[in-house]
Amino acid sequence: MPSHPEGILESSDPTSEENPRTQDHQPDLQKLHIQSSETDSGKASQDSALDNGHDDSGEFVVTMLARSKVEEQGMGTKDASSPLSETGTPLGPPSHRNEDVTADSWRQHRKHVFVLSEAGKPIYSRYGSEEALSSTMGVMMALVSFVQSGDNTIRSVYSDEHTVVFTQRGPLVLVSVSSSRQSEQQLRQELLYVYNQIVSMLTQASITRIFEHKKNYDLRRLLAGSEKILDGLLNLVDSDPSILLSAVHCLPLASSLRDSLSQILQKSITPNLVFSILIAKNQLLTIVQEKTVIEDARLEPSDLHLLLNLIGASSAFQAGEIWTPICLPSFNPDCYFYAYISYLDPPECTVCLVLLSTDKEAFYSVAECKRKIEEAMQTQNALNSIAKAHLYSVSQVGVSDLRHFMYKPFDVPDNHRQLTQFTSPEMEAPYSSEEERMRLLDLYRDMHSRIHSTSRPLKLIYHVAERETLLAWVTSKFELYTCFSPLVTKTCAINAITKLLRWIKKEEDRLFIRYPPKYSTTPNPSKSSKSDAH
Amino acid sequence: MPQATRTKKPDVKVVILGDMNVGKTSLLHRYTERKFKDTISTVGGAFFMKQWGPYNISIWDTAGREQFHGLGSMYCRGAAAVILTYDVTNWQSLAELENRFLSLTDTANADCIFAIVGNKADLTDTRIQGPDTDGEQVDERQPVVTCPTSPAILHKQVSREDAIALYSHVLRYKGLEEKACLPADKMCFETSAKTGYNVDSLFESLFDLVLPSILKKRSEGESSTVDLESPMEVKTNKAGCCS
Ligand SMILES: Nc1nc2c(ncn2[C@@H]2O[C@H](COP(=O)(O)OP(=O)(O)OP(=O)(O)O)[C@@H](O)[C@H]2O)c(=O)[nH]1
Ligand SMILES: [Mg+2]
């Protein structure tokens, strides 16, 4: 990232740059907007004054929907929310269910995700079998079509404890039932990821074709076996801030080493190869791209997340060399790439090579590229150096009260669009346990939703919570989330951020992939596989 | 003549086909790593290289999921042997071999050999657990290692006769004279990836059977080695779009 935030801090008004997200006040660092931890502003859940009594029928979703407010978005009119009970939706009596889905433990899952077809056929449920939940899905579908028939599209339902978000993509309806207190926007983005992961396996064109052909097709026939991939994605969504930030986390690496790895990839090419990606410990080491293919497009972070999830969700990948079609939905939702996936360090299997080709028949020539890459890496003893690479500790920043941060620069080199990245240290004590890590991520998610609120976006939040103090700051150059010990003063925090930004500037060659290298494998530029992506 | 860098190229190709969940990956895993461990449904296909004497045998473990059906004939291209795998406790998995998988082998070599493999034999094996046997003769070449805490015996849905019948269907489909081919009783196997029963003998007898195919190819010289590597048909749509 050549342009850099350090200069901004020295200006008197750090947020004076135009920021399209912000319509209201522009606080500067000295006039921090303080919101206490108790505040839960902007959460529509507060609006719903519905009784909190526990209900003993098994119809978790049905009950919740029936007692909640429905937010509809009209086709042009922003209609006021209307309680569902007044619409007279014929919600049937609770039907019989399997024991597991009626159990309290099933209801208490933090976030349920359901995918169903427009005809109401269950496709996926994060917890419980789709069969057992088919009546729930049917109710959801009834709700969706009821609202659709009134020319409205159902978008979300809020109750005291849950947020239900609906989204329709082509013939698929996706539903998130969450008690995570995330914003509707965030939940919707997560559902989009789920949809895109399904597209990554089937392509949008074939999903559309299938349902055009047969409206009540059972898509599970095609997705059978893929549940683990979707489960893995949802776990990633909950536990990895990459998806929240829509950015790629790359493994910190001396730029000389990263460059030499890139050069190895650059030299080991074959016709129709379009992306060469090297991954270690589930993080990006380097990515090299074909010139002509990416003239009008680039690999979006979301596509890379989907690809990484697909690789991570399958331990079967760890033996042998995989050759499989994969669609990168943001790049082009209707076409397949052919992915060659192989680990370079068996049996540990932490360093993974992914080569994407547009040629279905190219396995042997792509596999030959891997041999070349392996050989070159051996001569440079690169695997050894990679093994030494690891996340950094926040203590390296040298700011005493700083516990953790996430920094995502927006700046883009002049000549080509960059892969959006972020950097973040390891989560260390007091965030080393699973629960504490999740709690910190939830705090970040909350800050993120307030920063990106559509109704009242903020540029700066100084949030004093019980066990920590958080400061989130978005400028035209970067988005930053920091976590301090609770005793930090505002002045301290501001000084710390100045220091942190200096440190990042100093380390940026190591923390980020600065200039993604390219190669040319397509002799004829018209072969660009990007035919109808946007 | 093959160059030094080509020495690791496969001499011959073996493809494992069959419905999802029948245990294709588990079989290969048992054979190559001598273990039975948790698997995840395969995506696309996985390529393995097995050193067999002086030869390199490539093995493709394919995904049984319908999602990847379109790729099957690509993995089968130029195959010298195809292992058609079903699950002995699931009759449908045998039917799928004929309905869905047999046509994928159109791209295999003309002299491709076929093995019919009924996996998960441990689930129906009654020899140790009781007299409730359907008169099944089990190959004795390998000792059966049965888990001491075996789960309840499942009903065997596919008999060896069914498998043998499928074998002759395969030959008929291929337009081959049964008499001129390897006999069904030699090419129908029942295996257990879980216990290892019959797994080595499946792969090893198959490897021995494809040796003539390797020798024939070698005698034909370099050109046939290249044939294996390069696609038979040149795609006009290099972009790989499926529209
Ligand atoms: N009891 C028993 N279970 C087996 C045996 N072989 C495989 N399994 C189980 O069957 C399931 C599927 O095994 P896989 O090897 O993944 O099946 P596959 O044919 O590769 O499936 P796809 O990759 O989806 O086509 C797993 O749960 C295995 O543990 C066996 O011999 N006996
Ligand atoms: Mg498999």
Side-chain angles (χ1 to χ4, degrees), chain A residues 76-141:
Chain A
T77 51
K78 273 232 163 121
D79 212 17
S81 321
S82 58
L84 191 63
S85 49
E86 285 176 19
T87 67
T89 311
L91 294 176
S95 58
H96 174 73
R97 297 197 179 186
N98 280 355
E99 274 190 353
D100 52 320
V101 302
T102 54
D104 262 356
S105 55
W106 183 81
R107 292 191 233 177
Q108 277 156 15
H109 285 300
R110 190 179 136 99
K111 193 185 289 163
H112 284 272
V113 171
F114 307 96
V115 181
L116 47 156
S117 73
E118 226 174 346
K121 272 232 193 297
I123 294 170
Y124 170 77
S125 166
R126 186 180 189 184
Y127 303 106
S129 75
E130 302 89 24
E131 285 93 348
L133 293 165
S134 58
S135 61
T136 311
M137 302 237 200
V139 170
M140 290 183 194
M141 205 49 239

Side-chain angles (χ1 to χ4, degrees), chain A residues 221 226 321 323 334 361, chain B residues 47 65-66 75 77 242:
Chain A
R221 272 182 66 181
S226 311
E321 298 159 57
W323 184 246
D334 298 326
E361 309 282 348
Chain B
F47 174 89
R65 283 145 68 176
E66 220 177 300
Y75 298 122
R77 178 159 302 137
C242 54

Side-chain angles (χ1 to χ4, degrees), chain B residues 91-106:
Chain B
W91 192 84
Q92 189 59 32
S93 70
L94 183 83
E96 289 294 318
L97 288 177
E98 197 164 355
N99 300 341
R100 195 146 66 85
F101 293 97
L102 190 50
S103 62
L104 300 178
T105 65
D106 291 354

Side-chain angles (χ1 to χ4, degrees), chain A residues 57-351:
Chain A
S57 91
E59 292 288 342
F60 163 63
V61 177
V62 179
T63 321
M64 196 179 50
L65 295 181
R67 295 144 111 222
S68 309
K69 282 175 152 189
V70 179
E71 239 183 41
E72 298 170 5
Q73 195 182 38
M75 312 290 280
T77 51
K78 273 232 163 121
D79 212 17
S81 321
S82 58
L84 191 63
S85 49
E86 285 176 19
T87 67
T89 311
L91 294 176
S95 58
H96 174 73
R97 297 197 179 186
N98 280 355
E99 274 190 353
D100 52 320
V101 302
T102 54
D104 262 356
S105 55
W106 183 81
R107 292 191 233 177
Q108 277 156 15
H109 285 300
R110 190 179 136 99
K111 193 185 289 163
H112 284 272
V113 171
F114 307 96
V115 181
L116 47 156
S117 73
E118 226 174 346
K121 272 232 193 297
I123 294 170
Y124 170 77
S125 166
R126 186 180 189 184
Y127 303 106
S129 75
E130 302 89 24
E131 285 93 348
L133 293 165
S134 58
S135 61
T136 311
M137 302 237 200
V139 170
M140 290 183 194
M141 205 49 239
L143 200 61
V144 171
S145 38
F146 176 80
V147 180
Q148 272 173 345
S149 68
D151 251 6
N152 287 321
T153 308
I154 190 161
R155 288 175 62 88
S156 55
V157 178
Y158 295 98
S159 78
D160 287 355
E161 285 161 29
H162 291 90
T163 305
V164 185
V165 174
F166 292 83
T167 194
Q168 178 156 11
R169 294 275 145 178
L172 303 191
V173 174
L174 299 101
V175 185
S176 174
V177 179
S178 162
S179 57
S180 66
R181 293 286 172 222
Q182 282 173 268
S183 72
E184 180 185 334
Q185 222 178 326
Q186 287 171 346
L187 295 171
R188 196 173 299 286
Q189 190 212 11
E190 293 176 3
L191 289 179
L192 189 58
Y193 260 94
V194 173
Y195 174 73
N196 280 335
Q197 187 84 70
I198 294 172
V199 169
S200 79
M201 299 185 270
L202 300 177
T203 74
Q204 186 163 274
S206 70
I207 295 172
T208 310
R209 205 178 323 120
I210 285 164
F211 284 103
E212 266 168 14
H213 186 69
K214 197 168 168 228
K215 253 198 145 24
N216 65 346
Y217 184 84
D218 188 351
L219 199 64
R220 282 177 303 168
R221 272 182 66 181
L222 287 181
L223 286 175
S226 311
E227 302 86 354
K228 282 182 185 167
I229 292 170
L230 296 176
D231 293 348
L233 176 74
L234 288 168
N235 291 338
L236 201 68
V237 156
D238 284 342
S239 63
D240 188 331
S242 308
I243 287 172
L244 177 73
L245 295 174
S246 302
V248 173
H249 197 184
C250 72
L251 197 67
L253 208 62
S255 62
S256 58
L257 177 57
R258 205 189 303 276
D259 288 348
S260 69
L261 291 173
S262 304
Q263 278 160 20
I264 290 172
L265 297 185
Q266 247 171 329
K267 280 179 197 149
S268 315
I269 54 175
T270 184
N272 298 315
L273 190 66
V274 285
F275 289 107
S276 304
I277 304 166
L278 204 52
I279 295 155
K281 296 161 189 156
N282 289 318
Q283 280 164 330
L284 189 63
L285 280 176
T286 185
I287 176 166
V288 188
Q289 316 177 327
E290 213 287 329
K291 269 187 197 123
T292 52
V293 172
I294 52 153
E295 245 160 31
D296 50 349
R298 60 171 178 170
L299 194 59
E300 292 292 334
S302 63
D303 282 344
L304 204 56
H305 294 148
L306 296 174
L307 185 65
L308 287 183
N309 177 55
L310 192 80
I311 294 166
S314 179
S315 66
F317 279 133
Q318 301 194 359
E321 298 159 57
I322 300 286
W323 184 246
T324 186
I326 179 167
C327 166
L328 301 176
S330 304
F331 193 89
N332 184 339
D334 298 326
C335 100
Y336 277 124
F337 287 103
Y338 294 87
Y340 171 92
I341 302 161
S342 175
Y343 283 89
L344 300 176
D345 62 337
E348 282 79 24
C349 296
T350 56
V351 182

Side-chain angles (χ1 to χ4, degrees), chain B residues 145-158:
Chain B
V145 189
T146 305
C147 184
T149 55
S150 249
I153 295 163
L154 284 176
H155 178 61
K156 183 163 179 173
Q157 291 195 0
V158 185

Side-chain angles (χ1 to χ4, degrees), chain B residues 88 118-126 190-193 197:
Chain B
V88 292
N119 188 44
K120 306 198 186 181
D122 59 284
L123 293 177
T124 61
D125 179 45
T126 53
E190 285 186 355
T191 59
S192 166
Y197 169 70

